[in-house]
Amino acid sequence: MEMLKAMGLFFLIQSLTGKEGNMHADEMVSINHAFEIRWEKPGHSPQYGYDIWYQPRHNTMISTSWGAPRAFTKGFNLEHLSEGLYGRHLHIRFLHDPAKDTGFVWSALTTNMIRFFKNQDGSWSHEVSISVKPLKEQNWILPEMPGLITDFLISLDDRFLYFVNWLHGDIRQYNIEDVKNPKLTGQVWVGGLIQKGSPIVAVTDDGETWQAEVPEIQGKKLRAGPQMIQLSLDGKRLYATNSLFSTWDKQFYPDLVQQGSHIIQIDVDTEKGGLKINPNFFVDFGTEPHGPSLAHEMRYPGGDCTSDIWI
């Protein structure tokens, strides 16, 4: 890490896979302020690379993992889990305060948000901070459906944590001012497999069935579930797309590929907490000149909550 700081680091690129889409290549590309490119071999990369984040004041960088491209590019298959083709490492966000030694990671399939922190002896520990209970289902491929967290972020003032459940269809806001005790302060349903009108219904412990109320925006039905999110720098506007990966989209939300994806805006109460769908904002990628498109990631040109790291 000291070497990277001395280079005047501009950014890092995590390599995703090795030969034939099997194992991770154990390499990163570093590009400094002079646009000099060099390949790094950290020696501690996860088996399947994905995202990275670092906290310079703690001389620590944490890399993350997804899975073998030869597995996930073909869609989700439970057998790939038992075959070890999905990673068991971290997807992380440190708090933005560069002096803080705590952050959060998620486990997608178990739908857990995990807090990691530094001990007094310099070692690192973790604990489950938020757990989304899987829903019992009727008319689905499995008896229970995980929320499937696919993205999360922390507001620039480190007060709120946001994450999405791509399969369930909700966006959540938690107050993390007390990082050991997150409190749910906002939740909106913006799609998902269990929205009203879907053949899939959730079942309560008492045997009752229910489906989520999902409103239309400008007369348009919300498609698929929330997938990637981005927050304005003032924390008042949260944006969400809904395409994960085309083969997964076809598997879980086949209509999305035919109709195209969209971007929606969620208005945020930054005082007491709370989320509300903005009825006047809807970017429809189903009307593109060359046919429906799938929107995935978003970035602010001047920096944003998922990429800004301060020294």
Side-chain angles (χ1 to χ4, degrees):
M1 191 68 190
E2 294 297 337
M3 179 274 294
L4 295 176
K5 289 163 63 179
M7 286 175 57
L9 182 66
F10 184 59
F11 61 84
L12 287 171
I13 301 173
Q14 171 81 68
S15 58
L16 181 64
T17 183
K19 187 177 180 181
E20 298 177 355
N22 293 318
M23 302 293 286
H24 179 254
D26 196 28
E27 292 179 330
M28 294 180 182
V29 180
S30 66
I31 304 177
N32 67 13
H33 64 287
F35 290 94
E36 297 170 333
I37 300 174
R38 59 185 290 178
W39 287 87
E40 311 288 346
K41 287 183 174 290
H44 300 288
S45 297
Q47 189 176 19
Y48 308 111
Y50 187 51
D51 200 4
I52 53 178
W53 193 276
Y54 63 95
Q55 198 74 319
R57 293 190 187 181
H58 292 277
N59 198 32
T60 299
M61 180 177 72
I62 296 181
S63 52
T64 68
S65 75
W66 183 9
R70 71 180 179 90
F72 68 72
T73 54
K74 299 175 183 178
F76 181 69
N77 187 331
L78 280 173
E79 293 182 1
H80 291 158
L81 293 177
S82 60
E83 293 172 3
L85 295 180
Y86 282 89
R88 298 177 181 273
H89 291 74
L90 304 179
H91 192 117
I92 63 100
R93 291 286 184 270
F94 273 103
L95 296 182
H96 291 284
D97 184 341
K100 294 295 185 181
D101 60 0
T102 190
F104 292 86
V105 315
W106 89 68
S107 176
L109 294 178
T110 60
T111 320
N112 287 329
M113 192 64 63
I114 300 165
R115 184 178 74 92
F116 63 89
F117 50 92
K118 198 173 186 179
N119 297 313
Q120 291 184 348
D121 63 2
S123 62
W124 293 86
S125 297
H126 70 278
E127 63 182 12
V128 175
S129 182
I130 302 166
S131 184
V132 178
K133 186 178 179 181
L135 297 177
K136 296 178 181 179
E137 304 291 341
Q138 290 181 355
N139 307 323
W140 200 54
I141 56 176
L142 296 172
E144 293 188 339
M145 178 192 295
L148 196 70
I149 299 175
T150 54
D151 196 21
F152 84 107
L153 57 78
I154 297 171
S155 61
L156 284 181
D157 59 8
D158 289 336
R159 294 183 59 226
F160 294 104
L161 179 149
Y162 301 85
F163 68 79
V164 300
N165 291 306
W166 190 59
L167 294 182
H168 288 180
D170 59 318
I171 300 176
R172 297 191 180 198
Q173 176 199 51
Y174 286 82
N175 185 302
I176 56 169
E177 291 177 283
D178 179 358
V179 293
K180 296 182 180 180
N181 298 288
K183 295 181 180 179
L184 180 64
T185 50
Q187 182 181 24
V188 288
W189 294 88
V190 297
L193 289 172
I194 57 170
Q195 60 179 296
K196 282 197 172 180
S198 167
I200 303 171
V201 296
V203 182
T204 68
D205 292 336
D206 297 329
E208 299 292 327
T209 60
W210 68 276
Q211 291 182 308
E213 291 277 1
V214 177
E216 292 185 347
I217 299 180
Q218 298 181 355
K220 299 291 184 67
K221 181 179 179 180
L222 298 187
R223 306 182 281 271
Q227 206 286 122
M228 299 296 286
I229 51 176
Q230 190 53 264
L231 184 67
S232 62
L233 299 181
D234 62 5
K236 295 182 178 181
R237 297 174 305 283
L238 183 71
Y239 299 91
T241 58
N242 55 345
S243 171
L244 193 157
F245 191 77
S246 60
T247 51
W248 290 52
D249 295 343
K250 293 175 183 177
Q251 184 177 4
F252 292 101
Y253 295 108
D255 290 345
L256 182 65
V257 180
Q258 303 298 323
Q259 300 175 14
S261 62
H262 50 63
I263 302 176
I264 61 174
Q265 177 185 319
I266 309 300
D267 294 328
V268 179
D269 184 337
T270 58
E271 298 298 324
K272 299 179 181 179
L275 302 175
K276 184 178 180 181
I277 297 174
N278 186 327
N280 301 313
F281 187 99
F282 187 81
V283 180
D284 190 355
F285 288 88
T287 58
E288 291 297 298
H290 299 290
S293 301
L294 299 175
H296 181 77
E297 181 66 286
M298 296 165 287
R299 283 287 183 265
Y300 275 90
D304 52 54
C305 295
T306 57
S307 61
D308 277 5
I309 297 173
W310 293 295
I311 295 178

